């Protein structure tokens, strides 16, 4: 692995001090900010995440704030998901599309109230698109990046740890809902959500004053739960079929291709700028789909570029993320496969950096 | 320095193979892509850049293409610089601002013709802003990221090397102009430009077919010029006062604050979406300015966060980039300083990661 040159442009977070003290070994860069990728090792972090509880600095999930009379209208212009039934205190996973239906981001929208939204973004400057749309359409809304840094608590013991710090009310928060809970006399938005399949919460930390005190309180209370610093885990997220924008999908892809058709209520999402293009896609169906790919043989190397998926010398797709799964004893991967070969158990070859491997296309991810 | 975890999301470039073979030691991430930062050492690369010639993979300067009847109108909406006198074959450095006059990027615009422009961007997803504006204002223009990867040849011997590969016509290209020159029977846009003060060219390489052949030809012809792989050099660019978006300026800053007021023809740049806000700024003048900062004492550490600039316990600015300059025998730095302390030779203190240092505010950069 190469070294990463630090600079102000690759922003530190309000928790960086804690992350460094916990022995972070490697980073990626996400939304112009440092995101830890390894603490002990990807494998050790993986086993611990699936059995214990971890605290993740996911400040890189930058917030975009929409505030004003046109906030709800703007939010609906951004996504083909029908937001009319969304209530205050609810979170929605929302594909964001451009006028051609191409994915610009796949954030979680947090509805504080009709005139006040947070959008918790994946890795692209979605702020620029939203500001451009708001300006061009002359909407009465302020769009900005507020100083909010999400902190995730993930893993099977996360509810117990969170209850120790925020009280038993956390237990009553349902999946993709949030409540305002107090720590140190300050209210925090606490949602049951997170980028793992192990259960957990995300705490939206405003400013930096409470950041390290909260981090320290979680680690203090977490001693008896065997807490450790962690981060989104490559193996676990592939097993669970959690997609990564920029890896598994780009602005070339429609939500339908990414298996996100269920979030496209294109007939009802009136005002979505990509509606016309997506109505066409919904009519014809996608010609390629995100699939789980089971790659045979020993541990594959790091998937640092798209690996072609081949059948009889013809390219039928590409793998975008891959890792060896100790629990499933195979190489788990995410790929985009053409309709000619997307059926369950179709045999294909994946051209890794070390040469071709036999693989199977799977309709379901591992968990 | 921490390690950087590779993934497809941090895109490789069409020259990565050459960069790796040349022994790259560290990267940064820029426009979701790998940008080399060190080959031999920052100091060794610096001396070599100032005396010989280097080939830089600056594919991270992604292009945004504007094409269509409204392309020129859209380009003028993006920037306060008056583009009316710009001719085909010319490059302009253009601050890009939002509706409040905040900087979104500081790219170089390349005018191929009135209906066809390339914008060679700094580190932000400017594509999203331009697409949003084009959509909201219903402009008749296509906006996209074409597959174009700039390759820079920089250093005092760059003209000789370029003439060996592209012929003597390169010598006639004037600063910030371009010509179409042939290599391997293919025409390339070649501009006299680049992110150093040592002189040089940028070649806009379309697709990947000609990328490594061109890289190899430059290194083959460059043997007699002592060519080496290089990259934008932290020390050299600070000495020369070349700003870095995301380090030295953000969307909080106006062009005037960044010393780019000379590129703001706000009275004439009719249609610029930030015009109203910038007319106000032009009237009142900025309250803080980018300045060279001369930091005394031994080599300062890596400036990985904003360092406060203090006077009598009061914050009057921040340093955003810093490095020890062997040629000037001092720590050269870029800072933003309030008007109360921006005069030449004002004494201040800079709070580095290792504690406070005496420093001087300078009106001029080192070269």
């Amino acid at each position: 692995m190469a070294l990463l040159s630090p600079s102000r442009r690759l922003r530190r977070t309000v928790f960086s001090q804690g992350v460094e003290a916990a022995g972070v070994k490697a980073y990626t860069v996400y939304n112009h900010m440092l995101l830890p990728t390894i603490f002990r090792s990807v494998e050790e972090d993986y086993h611990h995440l699936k059995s214990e509880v971890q605290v993740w600095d996911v400040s890189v999930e930058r917030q975009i704030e929409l505030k004003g009379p046109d906030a709800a209208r703007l939010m609906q212009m951004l996504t083909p998901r029908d937001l009319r039934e969304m209530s205050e205190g609810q979170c929605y996973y929302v594909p964001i599309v451009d006028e051609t239906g191409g994915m610009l981001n796949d954030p979680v929208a947090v509805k504080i109230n009709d005139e006040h939204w947070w959008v918790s973004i994946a890795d692209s400057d979605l702020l620029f698109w939203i500001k451009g749309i708001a300006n061009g359409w002359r909407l009465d809304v302020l769009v900005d990046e507020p100083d909010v840094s999400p902190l995730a608590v993930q893993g099977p013991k996360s509810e117990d740890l969170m209850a120790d710090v925020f009280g038993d009310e956390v237990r009553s928060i349902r999946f993709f809902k949030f409540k305002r809970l107090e720590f140190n006399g300050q209210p925090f938005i606490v949602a049951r959500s997170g980028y793992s399949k192990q259960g957990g919460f995300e705490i939206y930390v405003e400013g930096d004053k409470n950041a390290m005190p909260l981090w320290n309180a979680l680690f203090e209370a977490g001693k008896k739960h065997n807490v450790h610093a962690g981060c989104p885990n490559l193996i676990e997220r592939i097993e669970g079929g959690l997609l990564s924008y920029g890896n598994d999908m780009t602005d070339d892809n429609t939500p339908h291709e990414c298996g996100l058709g269920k979030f496209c209520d294109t007939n009802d999402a009136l005002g979505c700028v990509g509606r016309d293009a997506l109505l066409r896609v919904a009519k014809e169906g996608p010609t390629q789909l995100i699939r789980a790919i089971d790659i045979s043989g020993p541990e594959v190397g790091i998937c640092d570029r798209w690996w072609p998926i081949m059948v009889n010398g013809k390219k039928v797709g590409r793998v975008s993320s891959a890792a060896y799964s100790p629990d499933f004893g195979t190489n788990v991967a995410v790929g985009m496969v053409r309709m000619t070969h997307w059926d369950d158990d179709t045999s294909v070859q994946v051209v890794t950096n070390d040469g071709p491997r036999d693989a199977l296309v799977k309709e379901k991810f591992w968990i």
Side-chain angles (χ1 to χ4, degrees), chain A:
Chain A
M1 262 194 256
L3 294 169
L4 176 63
S5 284
S7 68
R8 189 274 153 190
R9 188 171 51 75
L10 309 184
R11 298 179 286 182
R12 291 167 60 82
T13 86
V14 293
F15 308 110
S16 287
Q17 200 187 320
V19 162
E20 287 162 359
V24 62
K25 290 206 180 111
Y27 291 103
T28 186
V29 176
Y30 198 99
N31 283 324
H32 314 277
M33 202 168 224
L34 297 174
L35 173 63
T37 51
I38 306 175
F39 281 89
R40 291 181 283 194
S41 74
V42 175
E43 292 72 22
E44 208 174 334
D45 294 348
Y46 158 86
H47 290 301
H48 179 266
L49 168 63
K50 289 175 100 167
S51 57
E52 310 284 339
V53 55
Q54 295 183 348
V55 177
W56 296 1
D57 173 7
V58 284
S59 301
V60 299
E61 294 171 8
R62 302 314 294 165
Q63 302 305 303
I64 300 174
E65 184 168 68
L66 280 53
K67 218 170 174 175
D70 284 337
R73 183 183 162 203
L74 175 55
M75 194 66 232
Q76 185 65 83
M77 288 177 76
L78 302 174
T79 180
R81 186 161 180 187
D82 184 359
L83 305 179
R84 286 175 302 174
E85 300 297 312
M86 192 173 172
S87 53
E88 292 181 9
Q90 208 168 1
C91 312
Y92 268 22
Y93 177 73
V94 283
I96 304 284
V97 297
D98 68 13
E99 73 286 358
T100 71
M103 297 275 298
L104 297 182
N105 203 291
D106 66 326
V108 171
V110 178
K111 181 173 179 175
I112 297 169
N113 63 55
D114 210 49
E115 299 197 356
H116 192 186
W117 299 67
W118 281 350
V119 184
S120 192
I121 64 172
D123 182 34
S124 74
D125 295 337
L126 189 60
L127 178 67
F128 282 21
W129 170 252
I130 303 182
K131 277 170 67 90
I133 291 293
N135 177 273
W137 292 89
R138 282 77 137 192
L139 301 184
D140 199 5
V141 58
L142 267 174
V143 182
D144 212 344
E145 179 182 319
D147 187 14
V148 175
S149 304
L151 186 65
V153 178
Q154 301 284 302
K157 297 182 181 170
S158 56
E159 189 173 297
D160 290 341
L161 170 54
M162 286 293 286
D164 287 347
V165 173
F166 284 94
D168 275 329
E169 206 182 338
V170 291
R171 301 188 191 275
S172 68
I173 301 175
R174 285 183 297 140
F175 186 62
F176 261 51
K177 299 266 186 176
F178 70 82
K179 288 192 173 174
R180 280 178 200 277
L181 300 179
E182 280 203 2
F183 167 77
N184 259 2
Q186 292 287 322
F188 290 78
I189 287 183
V190 177
R192 193 182 285 266
S193 56
Y195 193 64
S196 86
K197 290 284 190 180
Q198 308 308 314
F201 299 84
E202 288 176 304
I203 310 156
Y204 290 78
V205 180
E206 297 183 57
D208 57 5
K209 201 171 71 79
N210 295 296
M212 283 310 299
L214 175 60
W215 173 280
N216 291 330
L218 285 164
F219 279 87
E220 188 57 36
K223 277 179 189 161
K224 66 172 183 283
H225 304 294
N226 189 21
V227 72
H228 204 275
C231 47
N233 184 276
L234 180 66
I235 311 169
E236 196 269 350
R237 75 113 177 139
I238 298 176
E239 288 177 356
L242 294 171
L243 303 186
S244 164
Y245 186 77
N247 282 314
D248 308 317
M249 54 193 164
T250 73
D251 60 359
D252 278 336
N253 301 119
T254 63
H256 296 80
E257 290 177 346
C258 305
L260 306 174
K262 57 181 175 287
F263 300 113
C264 296
D265 314 302
T266 315
N267 280 304
D268 298 314
L270 297 177
C272 170
V273 296
R275 184 171 169 265
D276 297 349
L278 289 181
L279 277 175
R280 171 57 49 195
V281 172
K283 205 180 173 100
E284 298 180 355
T287 58
Q288 53 180 1
L289 272 180
I290 286 278
R291 284 286 191 240
I293 311 287
D294 188 324
I295 305 176
S296 67
E299 192 162 340
V300 290
I302 291 173
C303 184
D304 62 353
R305 65 201 82 178
W306 282 334
W307 289 341
I309 302 178
M310 309 293 290
V311 172
N312 297 330
K314 242 176 93 175
K315 189 170 175 243
V316 299
R318 43 94 174 150
V319 160
S320 47
S321 305
Y324 183 78
S325 161
D327 283 357
F328 292 95
T330 189
N331 293 292
V332 296
V334 180
M336 181 78 77
V337 187
R338 292 188 64 81
M339 67 189 308
T340 49
H341 294 81
W342 71 30
D343 285 347
D344 205 32
D345 281 327
T346 303
S347 292
V348 295
Q349 281 209 317
V350 173
V351 185
T352 72
N353 293 351
D354 305 319
R357 287 281 186 91
D358 289 331
L360 286 177
V361 175
K362 306 296 281 182
E363 286 189 6
K364 289 204 185 315
F365 282 85
W366 284 264
I367 52 163

